[in-house]
Amino acid sequence: MLNPNLQEIELDKEEFQRYSRHIILPEVGLDGQKRLKAASVLCIGTGGLGSPLLLYLAAAGIGCIGIVDFDIVDSSNLQRQIIHGISWIGKPKIQSAKDRILQINPYCQVNLYETHLSSENALEILKSYDVVIDGTDNFPTRYLTNDACVLLNKPNIYGSIFRFEGQATVFNYQGGPNYRDLYPEPPPPGMVPSCAEGGVLGVLCGIIGTIQATEAIKIVLGAENTLSGRLLLYNAWDMKFRELTLRPNPERPLIDKLIDYEQFCGIPQAQAVEAQEKTTIPEITVKELKDLINYGTNTFVLIDVRNVNEYEIAKIPGSILVPLPDIEDGRGVEKIRILSQNKKVIAHCKTGVRSAKALGILKEKGILGSNVKGGITAWSKEVDPDIPQY
């Protein structure tokens, strides 16, 4: 409720004490704190961005917080998804987030939507909230969130992170631009590596997520100097901020309905290509690979196409590192050609996706090979549990 009847909203004695540092700010005051209590904010995702922003929204006194997520807590999340803890591993993230929010502020109402946000449910979920915060990490959900906010006329607070770099802005607010003004079309599938493939500095999530929470609070308070029309760029490694001006594109297509965003982002097409590649590239299981290694045969060469840092975390005995980017630019192809003279090539990565791509490139160059199904993750689960999973 961005324009609540403030006379109907009251704070009790404990709330005055809890929010006193806010209330003494001239820019917030008692009326501003009442606005925060009356407001409803929906966060899509409880990962790296959602974790810190949810903590600060709760601490700020947002009266109603909605959370959309369907994932479970994994140990690999804890380095950056600070709302979760060890005791919640294997359990739903939204339940973990709610528990932590209520520990910070029992005055918050927390609504949970343990579901995949889709074109079928997005409008129904978003319609009752004042502000929407995009804490997702995939393009279909980003475009879906944007379009639903445009149709419902909701401000959409955007953030993204990768390695050491982050972005934040406010979309669809007071006539400002939306996500399609910044990115009219999604990149080809696989063109932008995920954080699972490229990595991310944990504290970067906290910085960008906290900026998103700040913008949500400012919008509720009616502040004029939001990030609408401004894209904030942050490089944690260089400790530098930059800002780009964003404007609505008068030629952008009209958003008048929700569409199939998986199709729009080319996911089914990419999956079809991947499936076709799998049918043309032989696979072996990790147990079959283990047998080959145990036999001590010199008939194959095992190529690891992950990056150097992944190789340092965990490796299969006898594997030779040739990163996928080296294969893509041709240098790795020649190296593998030399290594594989009179030998069969067997390739692996983390889960088998990148190695399948590498083998497709090698096949075009006349080098045939087999892919390790499930990659080193399957090796850790089925062959050697001492190999770390990441």
Side-chain angles (χ1 to χ4, degrees):
M1 190 183 303
L2 292 180
N3 294 297
N5 185 346
L6 299 180
Q7 293 181 345
E8 297 180 354
I9 302 168
E10 296 182 355
L11 304 183
D12 65 24
K13 182 179 178 180
E14 198 280 331
E15 286 178 292
F16 274 108
Q17 182 177 6
R18 176 184 289 267
Y19 306 127
S20 61
R21 271 62 169 184
H22 269 183
I23 295 172
I24 62 176
L25 290 170
E27 294 83 358
V28 181
L30 180 57
D31 283 357
Q33 195 60 50
K34 288 182 176 182
R35 289 181 181 276
L36 294 172
K37 184 174 182 177
S40 59
V41 177
L42 179 70
C43 178
I44 303 173
T46 58
L49 295 175
S51 289
L53 71 85
L54 284 168
L55 294 175
Y56 274 105
L57 291 178
I62 295 295
C64 178
I65 297 175
I67 307 173
V68 182
D69 206 318
F70 61 95
D71 200 4
I72 62 172
V73 180
D74 184 82
S75 61
S76 66
N77 302 147
L78 303 183
Q79 166 255 0
R80 65 200 178 281
Q81 300 180 19
I82 59 173
I83 203 168
H84 310 300
I86 292 174
S87 63
W88 282 93
I89 291 176
K91 301 175 184 177
K93 285 184 177 180
I94 58 170
Q95 293 290 346
S96 169
K98 180 178 180 178
D99 180 78
R100 185 74 177 98
I101 286 171
L102 295 179
Q103 288 181 32
I104 293 173
N105 191 346
Y107 289 90
C108 290
Q109 174 187 329
V110 184
N111 300 331
L112 302 183
Y113 306 91
E114 191 173 2
T115 184
H116 173 74
L117 193 71
S118 68
S119 297
E120 287 70 35
N121 62 24
L123 295 178
E124 182 66 26
I125 292 174
L126 270 63
K127 70 179 183 180
S128 59
Y129 291 89
D130 300 317
V131 179
V132 176
I133 305 183
D134 182 356
T136 63
D137 61 356
N138 66 87
F139 290 104
T141 310
R142 286 176 183 166
Y143 281 99
L144 167 61
T145 301
N146 174 80
D147 292 2
C149 285
V150 170
L151 292 173
L152 294 170
N153 195 27
K154 306 284 186 182
N156 172 22
I157 303 176
Y158 163 79
S160 69
I161 50 175
F162 181 64
R163 293 182 176 167
F164 299 100
E165 298 181 349
Q167 301 179 355
T169 190
V170 174
F171 288 126
N172 200 51
Y173 184 56
Q174 296 182 336
N178 67 58
Y179 185 70
R180 288 180 180 267
D181 291 306
L182 180 60
Y183 299 113
E185 299 287 339
M191 180 66 68
V192 180
S194 67
C195 288
E197 294 177 352
V200 62
L201 186 67
V203 294
L204 175 66
C205 309
I207 294 168
I208 300 301
T210 304
I211 289 172
Q212 290 179 280
T214 304
E215 292 300 292
I217 291 168
K218 287 163 57 182
I219 289 173
V220 171
L221 294 175
E224 296 181 358
N225 57 335
T226 70
L227 281 175
S228 178
R230 298 184 291 151
L231 179 66
L232 189 67
L233 306 175
Y234 173 62
N235 186 306
W237 197 249
D238 295 335
M239 195 51 69
K240 290 183 179 180
F241 284 91
R242 294 189 299 128
E243 189 176 293
L244 301 177
T245 299
L246 298 179
R247 295 184 178 88
N249 178 5
E251 298 180 358
R252 74 182 177 212
L254 175 68
I255 299 171
D256 57 1
K257 63 180 180 179
L258 300 183
I259 61 174
D260 184 334
Y261 292 90
E262 295 280 322
Q263 186 76 27
F264 175 66
C265 293
I267 306 300
Q269 299 92 316
Q271 290 175 339
V273 171
E274 183 179 321
Q276 186 176 8
E277 287 180 347
K278 285 186 175 182
T279 61
T280 58
I281 296 175
E283 287 187 327
I284 68 169
T285 67
V286 290
K287 292 183 178 179
E288 290 171 333
L289 175 60
K290 176 63 175 174
D291 289 339
L292 287 173
I293 294 173
N294 287 341
Y295 293 151
T297 176
N298 291 321
T299 59
F300 71 95
V301 56
L302 179 59
I303 303 297
D304 186 334
V305 305
R306 298 173 300 153
N307 66 45
V308 174
N309 293 329
E310 289 179 282
Y311 192 72
E312 290 178 348
I313 294 173
K315 59 177 72 68
I316 297 177
S319 62
I320 299 173
L321 180 66
V322 185
L324 177 59
D326 290 354
I327 297 173
E328 290 175 321
D329 68 20
R331 292 176 298 165
V333 174
E334 295 311 310
K335 181 177 180 179
I336 293 173
R337 193 184 302 278
I338 294 172
L339 290 170
S340 64
Q341 289 183 0
N342 301 318
K343 296 181 180 180
K344 179 182 178 181
V345 172
I346 299 176
H348 84 86
C349 60
K350 182 179 180 181
T351 60
V353 176
R354 282 175 284 172
S355 49
K357 183 176 182 179
L359 287 165
I361 295 172
L362 292 173
K363 184 178 180 180
E364 293 177 355
K365 303 297 182 180
I367 303 173
L368 303 180
S370 298
N371 195 24
V372 178
K373 186 177 181 180
I376 199 169
T377 300
W379 181 272
S380 176
K381 291 178 179 178
E382 301 178 32
V383 176
D384 186 357
D386 289 333
I387 296 289
Q389 295 185 38
Y390 61 95

